[in-house]
Amino acid sequence: QRVIVYVTDYCPYCTRAKSLLDKRGIAYDVIDVSNDHGKRAWLVQTTGRRTVPQIFIDGTPVGGSDELHELDRNGKLSKMMAATPSA
């Protein structure tokens, strides 16, 4: 599974999302978009959201920290991570 977390500096929600992934033992890549207007524009175009973090699992946007925690609470995060073996 490939998990990408788009973040900015000093973002408590970004820290919260990364902490949950760490707690679950899920590897992820971090892309800091603090000073990258092009990537920020792409995120808005792709997700329809201006906020961070934006989390993608296998290229699919799953939302931000609140959505990630909800996926975890209802068991869907572990199912998503188990759905496709890591390459």
Side-chain angles (χ1 to χ4, degrees):
Q1 291 291 357
R2 173 124 176 155
V3 178
I4 301 174
V5 183
Y6 291 86
V7 302
T8 59
D9 292 336
Y10 309 109
C11 167
Y13 293 101
C14 299
T15 301
R16 187 171 175 250
K18 292 186 294 182
S19 292
L20 175 63
L21 293 169
D22 290 338
K23 182 178 176 183
R24 296 294 179 243
I26 298 171
Y28 57 92
D29 291 325
V30 173
I31 298 176
D32 188 337
V33 297
S34 297
N35 298 308
D36 191 329
H37 300 294
K39 282 184 186 162
R40 289 295 295 258
W42 176 83
L43 276 176
V44 172
Q45 182 181 19
T46 303
T47 67
R49 298 175 179 213
R50 296 185 180 279
T51 59
V52 289
Q54 286 301 315
I55 302 154
F56 288 70
I57 299 176
D58 285 336
T60 301
V62 297
S65 180
D66 291 342
E67 291 80 9
L68 183 68
H69 278 80
E70 179 62 25
L71 288 172
D72 185 56
R73 274 192 298 277
N74 64 29
K76 291 183 180 178
L77 179 60
S78 60
K79 288 178 184 175
M80 291 175 79
M81 297 310 298
T84 306
S86 297

